[in-house]
Amino acid sequence: MNSLEIAKSCSTYSCWHPLFALEDLEEGGVPVYTQLLDQAVLCERLSEGKVSVRLADQQRGPDRQAEDLHSQVQFGFVWACIGPNPQLLFDIPEYHEPDRRNVCTGVFGVEVSAPRAIENFLDMGHFPFVHTGLLGIEPHTEVVDYQVTVSDEPNEIVATECLFFQPQAAVGSVGGVVTEYVYRVPHPFCAILYKSCPFDESRRDVITIFVQPESEERIRAHTMMSIVDPESSDTSIRLFQQMIFGQDKPILENQFPKKLPLDPLDEISIRADRVAVAYRKWLASGGVRYGVIPGAQAT
Amino acid sequence: MLKLYDYELSGNCFKIRWFLNILGIEYESVAVEFYPSKEHKSAWFKEINPLGQLPVIDDDDFRLRDAQAILVYIATKYDSSGNWYPSHDASQTGEIAQWLSFADSLTATISSARLATTFFFDFDLEKCQTGGHELLRILDEHLWFQEQQQLEWICRGRHPSLAEIACFPYVALSEEGGISRQEFAAVRRWTDRVKRIPGFIGMPGIFPAGS
Ligand SMILES: [Fe+2]
């Protein structure tokens, strides 16, 4: 099976996938190309926040809408589903709170599979070595034990009580603190991170990664923050996030193999990270075949 | 205080930050968001640099653009050792100028390839990659011959020069543009040596020595 056939044969085809930040598209402008699951798609921003997404090689007849793919705008992004029966897109309730700053922090091209990018996002162990002086610092390298639960309704992974010492946890932080993280994985290629908010102890900042799989080994990583921060400018929020992502990019691109192995014996014994183990199992049981190397049982 | 119009993910801005760090010069960084908002093309920044390019410095109201020109200015004004830019020595300064120009070619090829792969700039990626690969080959051959003469650096002399500062960043970022350094062993030995020069700092995508 080639990559396109794999996409069509697995649950990935009925997922929603992010394509663009709405603000990056010009209203009434020319349709913009991008790639999704090995297919070229065209995305067009119409008036009043509406969008139209279609396969680029699709001939257009008189009934334009009949040829359009399923699309929607959510969390400031255009999402599309190529398959005929889209699954429900997850929600992020905090996003809708009126006093939140919702900032699209940029899209970055990376030569890696979508699940590798998600797994990296879930991994705190790399903070002291990759995000030195910001999200972690030696000798504070220990990831204390945390809780991982997998639920059916909604179908997602939640990791809680992830405590980590961070020298500069966010753009608004002054000095080092022990930060508490909560991770949610509500979608095979999307993850949400909740972390202590430096401005309000009772609330949590939200950082998301929405991965657009261009192909099995090439992604566009869309990032977004939904935070309580009355002080920092949008630009400084974006610049902080870009710096973090710029540090992750070479790590991601040096992953080998680029696809994520799902066989429990493959890599898990050496990297016994519990959320990663849960994520790989969850992908396998959810029938995800795209961007992964299936385990022995699945082949 | 010296002011640097700066973007964290730019290799050309990084070389200025790094050189200022080597010389121990304090400066104020003014962030200009190159991506995604293209602030370097904004009206306010074009008043500072009509070319709409980073970096730019402002040193006591003396304003200068172009990374290579800025390096020459900083070395001439602030490096009392004279090692980085020996302006009294004709052949050394001539060589350095030659490699500063080579650094511009690295920007036109490797940096452009990286902008295409990472930030979706509409460049001819294959052409940039081919051009960048060819420049790395030329640098590799040059460094190999230098090594044969027990010379560790790009230019003649026992001390690294501005040629190191100017050329290193986009060589070190080549993989982000999809240009492998696998076959260029002399280049890889040189990047390891450069990372051990006192005062080295990294940037996103460039890690310090030993990691
Ligand atoms: Fe990271």
Side-chain angles (χ1 to χ4, degrees):
Chain A
M1 265 206 274
N2 67 28
S3 288
L4 180 58
E5 288 161 355
I6 291 173
K8 287 185 175 174
S9 73
C10 83
S11 59
T12 307
Y13 219 55
S14 42
C15 281
W16 290 98
H17 298 284
L19 299 180
F20 290 97
L22 186 66
E23 66 188 25
D24 289 345
L25 298 173
E26 192 189 337
E27 189 173 308
V30 291
V32 189
Y33 273 96
T34 187
Q35 190 169 307
L36 177 61
L37 302 173
D38 291 280
Q39 298 180 83
V41 297
L42 275 168
C43 182
E44 192 174 354
R45 179 172 177 179
L46 312 170
S47 57
E48 292 161 15
K50 291 201 183 70
V51 292
S52 152
V53 181
R54 63 181 195 272
L55 293 175
D57 59 8
Q58 174 88 47
Q59 295 295 321
R60 304 207 93 182
D63 182 11
R64 291 168 55 123
Q65 281 191 336
E67 290 114 27
D68 275 5
L69 300 176
H70 296 281
S71 67
Q72 63 171 305
V73 175
Q74 188 57 269
F75 317 126
F77 292 88
V78 177
W79 299 75
C81 173
I82 307 185
N85 299 307
Q87 297 170 2
L88 208 61
L89 183 61
F90 57 88
D91 193 20
I92 307 173
E94 295 79 6
Y95 179 87
H96 311 288
E97 292 170 4
D99 63 341
R100 291 246 167 199
R101 309 264 306 276
N102 293 317
V103 183
C104 294
T105 42
V107 53
F108 304 93
V110 190
E111 300 281 332
V112 74
S113 64
R116 284 278 194 196
I118 296 299
E119 198 179 79
N120 170 272
F121 186 82
L122 301 175
D123 167 39
M124 286 181 291
H126 75 283
F127 288 174
F129 310 104
V130 177
H131 308 298
T132 315
L134 300 167
L135 305 187
I137 196 161
E138 293 173 84
H140 305 275
T141 58
E142 193 196 1
V143 179
V144 281
D145 209 14
Y146 52 89
Q147 302 299 316
V148 180
T149 49
V150 181
S151 64
D152 284 335
E153 278 302 323
N155 181 13
E156 62 181 38
I157 303 172
V158 178
T160 54
E161 297 168 42
C162 313
L163 298 172
F164 209 76
F165 178 82
Q166 302 201 312
Q168 195 197 338
V171 69
S173 307
V174 184
V177 282
V178 174
T179 312
E180 184 182 357
Y181 277 30
V182 170
Y183 289 104
R184 260 183 78 196
V185 189
H187 177 298
F189 303 154
C190 296
I192 302 158
L193 159 64
Y194 297 83
K195 67 194 286 187
S196 338
C197 166
F199 291 93
D200 184 345
E201 277 180 21
S202 68
R203 303 176 73 182
R204 288 189 179 132
D205 285 339
V206 177
I207 300 173
T208 66
I209 183 168
F210 303 146
V211 177
Q212 169 190 349
E214 287 193 284
S215 68
E216 287 200 271
E217 299 189 352
R218 159 104 196 151
I219 62 162
R220 283 158 52 91
H222 303 266
T223 54
M224 192 271 289
M225 294 179 85
S226 179
I227 64 176
V228 180
D229 178 344
E231 289 175 13
S232 310
S233 68
D234 281 7
T235 307
S236 65
I237 293 168
R238 279 200 298 266
L239 288 171
F240 184 81
Q241 205 53 19
Q242 287 180 23
M243 179 164 61
I244 300 298
F245 200 84
Q247 293 170 339
D248 279 318
K249 182 176 151 94
I251 303 299
L252 290 169
E253 295 190 331
N254 283 315
Q255 298 269 11
F256 183 83
K258 288 189 184 298
K259 291 180 199 167
L260 185 69
L262 295 189
D263 193 317
L265 298 174
D266 260 359
E267 273 184 289
I268 284 172
S269 49
I270 38 171
R271 280 194 52 205
D273 190 52
R274 296 184 37 227
V275 69
V277 174
Y279 176 59
R280 292 178 189 210
K281 277 190 192 159
W282 186 72
L283 290 179
S285 67
V288 176
R289 307 275 311 270
Y290 195 80
V292 303
I293 300 168
Q297 304 93 320
T299 47
Chain B
M1 196 192 300
L2 190 144
K3 194 188 277 183
L4 171 65
Y5 293 91
D6 193 13
Y7 178 62
E8 183 74 26
L9 301 186
S10 153
N12 276 320
C13 293
F14 159 66
K15 64 180 77 160
I16 309 301
R17 299 193 295 265
W18 170 29
F19 192 46
L20 289 168
N21 191 62
I22 286 176
L23 299 182
I25 299 167
E26 280 195 43
Y27 65 96
E28 176 197 350
S29 170
V30 180
V32 180
E33 193 187 39
F34 179 90
Y35 179 83
S37 69
K38 294 197 175 78
E39 203 177 1
H40 60 302
K41 300 292 182 196
S42 67
W44 80 265
F45 188 71
K46 279 195 167 175
E47 286 197 11
I48 289 165
N49 180 1
L51 296 178
Q53 291 171 346
L54 290 164
V56 173
I57 58 160
D58 192 321
D59 190 15
D60 263 338
D61 289 331
F62 174 67
R63 192 175 279 166
L64 196 65
R65 64 171 187 247
D66 186 297
Q68 276 58 252
I70 294 169
L71 290 178
V72 169
Y73 169 79
I74 293 173
T76 310
K77 182 162 179 191
Y78 294 106
D79 173 30
S80 50
S81 77
N83 283 331
W84 291 99
Y85 188 67
S87 48
H88 57 278
D89 185 313
S91 40
Q92 284 199 54
T93 46
E95 270 187 356
I96 292 171
Q98 170 185 297
W99 288 100
L100 295 184
S101 165
F102 186 84
D104 267 334
S105 306
L106 294 173
T107 302
T109 52
I110 298 180
S111 169
S112 298
R114 174 172 173 260
L115 293 179
T117 56
T118 308
F119 302 120
F120 313 104
F121 279 55
D122 192 13
F123 295 147
D124 183 341
L125 176 61
E126 210 181 299
K127 193 174 157 209
C128 297
Q129 288 175 330
T130 310
H133 192 265
E134 177 61 11
L135 293 179
L136 289 181
R137 195 191 59 72
I138 290 166
L139 179 63
D140 190 64
E141 189 179 302
H142 172 74
L143 288 167
W144 188 86
F145 278 109
Q146 292 291 91
E147 286 177 351
Q148 303 314 299
Q149 303 172 63
Q150 271 70 54
L151 293 171
E152 291 187 300
W153 312 110
I154 293 178
C155 296
R156 65 188 60 205
R158 297 284 157 205
H159 193 279
S161 76
L162 285 191
E164 266 69 41
I165 312 285
C167 293
F168 173 82
Y170 284 115
V171 170
L173 290 166
S174 73
E175 310 269 356
E176 293 200 358
I179 304 164
S180 169
R181 296 191 296 282
Q182 194 74 47
E183 62 192 276
F184 303 125
V187 165
R188 286 189 278 117
R189 288 191 294 272
W190 170 77
T191 54
D192 285 344
R193 288 195 293 276
V194 171
K195 286 182 174 187
R196 280 187 241 108
I197 297 172
F200 185 80
I201 50 168
M203 68 168 272
I206 303 179
F207 290 95
S211 62

